[in-house]
Amino acid sequence: MSTLAEVLGTYAPEISETDFAEDLRLKFEQVHGTDDPSLTAGELAFLSEHGGEAARNAVAQWDPEAERDRRSRIVAASAQHVFAQTLSAAQVAELTGKSRSQITRDLNAKRLYGLSVGRHWRIPRWQFTEHAVLPGLVEVVPTIPEHLHPSVVEGFMTTDQDELGARTPIDYLSTGGNPALVAEMVAELAR
């Protein structure tokens, strides 16, 4: 079994255990907040009385500890997925032939889409062709709504869209499609 230090050392040496743990703590806080996932007795009674058979079954099976566990597993799985589907700034620099400082400038200027983990960036892989940045990305990234989870953005970019001739935005852009159309669609994700 690997330790967190070993995994980070191998795949993300620029991210410290402390930075990773703090980022994960913040993600757990967003899901759990300070709210108890328990329903009040009044809420349970209302659902049982007015919610129909499905609600009565759900109330009968409701377990606050199981709900906390379910939420925690979602956060952990999401963090694992995001981490596995991203590159470090150094990896992107190597891939694109740019300097690491240029990659950081591109991230800060929203020419690349990135996630902050502690004091470091993780950059989703979907933004790159074999050795370059996806064409038109510079027009798309500034329109990505700040509050969207990276998995939602990835899902959109990798899913066939009717408006793009049943092609993914990645395929559409990589074959010379109009980035303004993709940018408009991405901006709509906020609504």
Side-chain angles (χ1 to χ4, degrees), residues 15-120:
I15 299 176
S16 71
E17 286 181 81
T18 303
D19 286 345
F20 186 82
E22 177 63 12
D23 190 66
L24 192 57
R25 182 190 67 76
L26 292 171
K27 286 176 177 38
F28 277 121
E29 247 178 37
Q30 288 173 349
V31 171
H32 290 286
T34 56
D35 296 337
D36 183 352
S38 302
L39 295 173
T40 66
E43 291 168 332
L44 291 171
F46 181 84
L47 286 172
S48 293
E49 185 176 336
H50 301 287
E53 187 65 28
R56 280 189 288 284
N57 289 338
V59 166
Q61 297 173 9
W62 178 254
D63 178 358
E65 288 303 315
E67 180 62 18
R68 274 191 200 90
D69 184 57
R70 184 186 72 79
R71 290 179 184 186
S72 295
R73 288 179 188 278
I74 289 169
V75 167
S78 176
Q80 287 174 336
H81 177 77
V82 167
F83 190 74
Q85 295 302 317
T86 60
L87 301 166
S88 69
Q91 290 170 313
V92 171
E94 184 177 326
L95 174 76
T96 61
K98 295 180 177 182
S99 70
R100 187 173 172 173
S101 61
Q102 181 59 54
I103 298 304
T104 301
R105 284 192 297 274
D106 288 348
L107 288 160
N108 288 327
K110 297 191 181 222
R111 291 186 292 265
L112 282 175
Y113 175 63
L115 322 167
S116 176
V117 178
R119 298 178 314 268
H120 301 280

Side-chain angles (χ1 to χ4, degrees), residues 117-132:
V117 178
R119 298 178 314 268
H120 301 280
W121 289 101
R122 297 299 297 177
I123 303 143
R125 295 176 188 270
W126 58 259
Q127 299 177 91
F128 306 98
T129 61
E130 194 171 323
H131 294 289

Side-chain angles (χ1 to χ4, degrees), residues 134-136 167 169-180 182:
L134 187 66
R167 295 177 9 195
I170 292 170
D171 182 48
Y172 178 78
L173 291 171
S174 67
T175 57
N178 180 3
V182 176

Side-chain angles (χ1 to χ4, degrees), residues 127-179:
Q127 299 177 91
F128 306 98
T129 61
E130 194 171 323
H131 294 289
V133 175
L134 187 66
L137 196 65
V138 70
E139 291 184 49
V140 175
V141 171
T143 65
I144 296 173
E146 299 258 339
H147 70 280
L148 282 186
H149 191 278
S151 294
V152 173
V153 178
E154 177 189 3
F156 171 78
M157 294 299 291
T158 59
T159 301
D160 290 344
Q161 305 295 327
D162 291 339
E163 299 91 328
L164 304 176
R167 295 177 9 195
T168 69
I170 292 170
D171 182 48
Y172 178 78
L173 291 171
S174 67
T175 57
N178 180 3

